[in-house]
């Protein structure tokens, strides 16, 4: 039976089982649906009568060379039903930014990491981050999240090894859609990205972290990678640069992380620390940070439970702070290492094209509405 003309089903954002169910409803059999599903993700094949699958088109592309290859930021413009809804709030288009980052691994193999966005804008209000300056426009759907992988793979022809939720947005502020997107990306009959190659990076919304405690205990989810943006040595500094900390302080955050690490079978997690000159870069800050991290430093089977990634601050637009000097970054990493923290500096890539960490965001969109949950979260 030919599908009805209005039966447009896209595999984007769906697991194979979900796609098969959707196809069954319009009279397409499971065998054919599965074949279409696999061809769509593996070969980029858009050819199917019942699907309207193409992800949002790429409207802008910025490439920048670095030591390890070429970093490419690409922007997809959504033609979603609600695209016009934000125009009177000064948002002419719903643009999604993603970055393809080259890395040369230990064995000299070149791999690519895709940095994806989970929201257009962000509600968390971190002072140092470009995306925060936009406020939250809206959360992305599972299809819009997976569409970034599809575009990187089948339009940009990049071989993506790792996916990190370190683009625009706070993944735990859109947790259901992020988890649905991950279920799609890891489906063996489709994109088949290993769970261990996907990392959620979060400001540390404790309510979301508690949900993850349950999620990672489900079959297949234990290896989901986790990164926590600590960014501060104490509550005083963290309150100043990350408003969310006023709702959930560093002690509660640490307790929840300990629980979460246990729940995922003591697999390592990543800690991130944006080093901002004059804000969180003093020797006593290294000491306080090492102290806060002490539960994660205990060597379990001779291994650290967490790597601390020191990210040299990338100035956002109109930044009140400069980027740190190379020597100061090295000193800070060195101090931490002396204190028993397994710390590494993150190489800066894409800073000129505003594609580096914390630099994603549309220039002409500034200080928009914050979602209620955060208002509540930051005022309590
Ligand atoms: N909302 C998530 C993911 C997005 S940001 C989170 O906060 O983890 C990804 C990383 O970039 C975070 O560790 C964040 O702290 C860092 N970052 C944000 N702004 C930055 C900037 N201006 N320079 C360097 N790193 C930045």
């Amino acid at each position: 039976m030919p599908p009805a003309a209005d039966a447009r089903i896209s595999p984007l954002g769906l697991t194979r089982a979900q796609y098969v169910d959707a196809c069954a409803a319009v009279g397409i059999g499971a065998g054919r649906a599965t074949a279409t599903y696999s061809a769509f993700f593996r070969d980029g094949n858009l050819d199917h009568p019942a699907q309207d699958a193409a992800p949002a088109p790429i409207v802008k592309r910025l490439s920048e060379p670095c030591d390890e290859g070429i970093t490419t930021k690409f922007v997809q413009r959504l033609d979603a039903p609600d695209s016009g809804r934000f125009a009177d709030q000064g948002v002419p288009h719903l643009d999604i930014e993603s970055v393809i980052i080259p890395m040369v691994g230990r064995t000299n193999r070149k791999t690519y990491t895709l940095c994806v966005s989970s929201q257009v804008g962000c509600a968390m209000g971190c002072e140092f981050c470009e995306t925060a300056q936009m406020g939250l426009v809206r959360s992305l759907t599972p299809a819009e999240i997976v569409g970034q992988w599809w575009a990187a793979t089948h339009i940009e022809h990049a071989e993506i090894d790792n996916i990190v939720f370190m683009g625009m947005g706070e993944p735990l502020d859109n947790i259901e859609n992020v988890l649905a997107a991950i279920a799609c990306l890891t489906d063996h009959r489709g994109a088949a990205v290993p769970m261990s190659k996907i990392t959620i990076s979060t400001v540390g919304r404790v309510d979301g972290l508690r949900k993850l405690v349950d999620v990672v205990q489900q079959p297949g989810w234990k290896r989901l990678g986790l990164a926590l943006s600590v960014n501060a040595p104490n509550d005083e500094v963290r309150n100043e640069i990350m408003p969310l900390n006023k709702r959930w302080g560093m002690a509660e955050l640490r307790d929840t992380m300990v629980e979460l690490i246990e729940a995922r079978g003591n697999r390592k997690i990543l800690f991130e620390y944006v080093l901002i000159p004059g804000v969180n870069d003093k020797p006593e800050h290294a000491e306080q940070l090492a102290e806060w991290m002490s539960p994660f430093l205990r060597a379990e089977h001779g291994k650290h439970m967490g790597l601390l990634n020191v990210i040299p601050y990338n100035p956002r637009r109109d930044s009140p702070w400069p980027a740190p000097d190379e020597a100061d970054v090295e000193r800070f990493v060195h101090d931490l290492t002396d204190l028993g923290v397994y710390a590494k500096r993150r190489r800066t890539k894409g800073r000129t094209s505003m594609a580096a960490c914390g630099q994603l965001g549309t220039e002409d969109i500034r200080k928009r509405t914050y979602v209620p949950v955060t208002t509540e979260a930051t005022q309590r």
Side-chain angles (χ1 to χ4, degrees), residues 128-129 166-167 169-170 201-203 229 231 272 274 313-314 357-358:
F128 46 83
C129 180
M166 297 185 189
E170 166 50 39
S201 176
T202 174
V203 290
S229 300
N231 294 344
E272 296 164 287
V274 183
Y313 170 65
N314 295 308
C357 302

Side-chain angles (χ1 to χ4, degrees), residues 230 232-234 250-251 254-255 258 271 273 283-298 308 332 335-342:
V230 185
N234 56 50
M250 289 182 74
R254 182 168 72 176
D255 289 349
V258 168
F271 294 91
Y273 193 93
E284 63 262 33
H285 292 155
E287 277 166 34
Q288 293 162 6
L289 179 62
E291 173 58 33
W292 184 84
M293 285 188 70
S294 56
F296 314 109
L297 305 182
R298 94 194 116 92
L308 181 86
F332 197 78
D335 286 356
L336 286 168
T337 309
D338 276 354
L339 291 158
V341 178
Y342 177 37

Side-chain angles (χ1 to χ4, degrees), residues 19-241:
Y19 184 64
V20 165
D21 283 352
C23 285
V26 295
I28 298 167
R32 188 162 166 227
T34 298
T36 308
Y37 186 85
S38 294
F40 172 75
F41 284 104
R42 294 184 186 168
D43 313 324
N45 189 350
L46 294 169
D47 188 23
H48 187 272
Q51 90 188 8
D52 185 9
I58 294 177
V59 294
K60 196 162 140 192
R61 193 178 274 114
L62 287 168
S63 289
E64 189 178 328
C66 64
D67 288 350
E68 290 162 77
I70 292 173
T71 299
T72 303
K73 168 162 110 172
F74 64 91
V75 180
Q76 288 172 280
R77 181 155 295 167
L78 293 178
D79 180 27
D82 65 344
S83 293
R85 211 182 87 203
F86 304 99
D88 55 356
Q89 298 171 33
V91 184
H93 305 287
L94 285 180
D95 284 351
I96 312 177
E97 303 192 13
S98 321
V99 189
I100 300 169
I101 308 156
M103 313 241 173
V104 177
R106 257 172 283 167
T107 54
N108 252 348
R109 194 173 82 93
K110 192 184 264 185
T111 64
Y112 287 92
T113 294
L114 176 67
C115 179
V116 294
S117 295
S118 56
Q119 298 178 313
V120 178
C122 184
M124 297 295 111
C126 301
E127 290 296 332
F128 46 83
C129 180
E130 176 71 18
T131 310
Q133 312 302 308
M134 297 170 68
L136 178 68
V137 179
R138 81 155 161 77
S139 286
L140 296 178
T141 63
E144 290 160 353
I145 296 170
V146 177
Q148 299 168 64
W149 173 88
W150 198 96
T153 303
H154 297 299
I155 301 176
E156 298 300 305
H157 303 292
E159 264 187 58
I160 302 299
D161 293 274
N162 299 290
I163 300 174
V164 293
F165 282 85
M166 297 185 189
M168 290 199 283
E170 166 50 39
L172 298 189
D173 213 22
N174 184 22
I175 187 165
E176 295 309 325
N177 290 351
V178 165
L179 295 176
I182 293 173
C184 168
L185 288 165
T186 53
D187 196 299
H188 296 293
R189 310 295 280 271
V193 180
M195 188 64 83
S196 59
K197 301 277 185 181
I198 300 179
T199 298
I200 291 183
S201 176
T202 174
V203 290
R205 267 194 72 147
V206 165
D207 54 349
L209 291 171
R210 290 199 182 113
K211 276 190 206 154
L212 284 185
V213 170
D214 296 331
V215 170
V216 298
Q217 294 185 71
Q218 292 165 19
W221 288 82
K222 250 198 180 104
R223 291 171 196 278
L224 173 63
L226 275 181
L228 176 71
S229 300
V230 185
N231 294 344
N234 56 50
D235 280 321
E236 197 189 339
V237 173
R238 206 165 191 266
N239 286 345
E240 247 170 61
I241 58 177

Side-chain angles (χ1 to χ4, degrees), residues 290-327:
E291 173 58 33
W292 184 84
M293 285 188 70
S294 56
F296 314 109
L297 305 182
R298 94 194 116 92
E300 194 110 353
H301 315 296
K303 285 191 306 192
H304 282 286
M305 297 318 298
L307 164 70
L308 181 86
N309 224 320
V310 176
I311 313 173
Y313 170 65
N314 295 308
R316 60 167 170 84
R317 294 184 179 96
D318 310 319
S319 172
W321 311 291
D325 290 338
E326 194 50 47

Side-chain angles (χ1 to χ4, degrees), residues 262-275:
E262 268 172 27
R264 34 202 301 286
N266 286 326
R267 282 180 179 76
K268 266 188 221 168
I269 74 152
L270 182 70
F271 294 91
E272 296 164 287
Y273 193 93
V274 183
L275 194 72

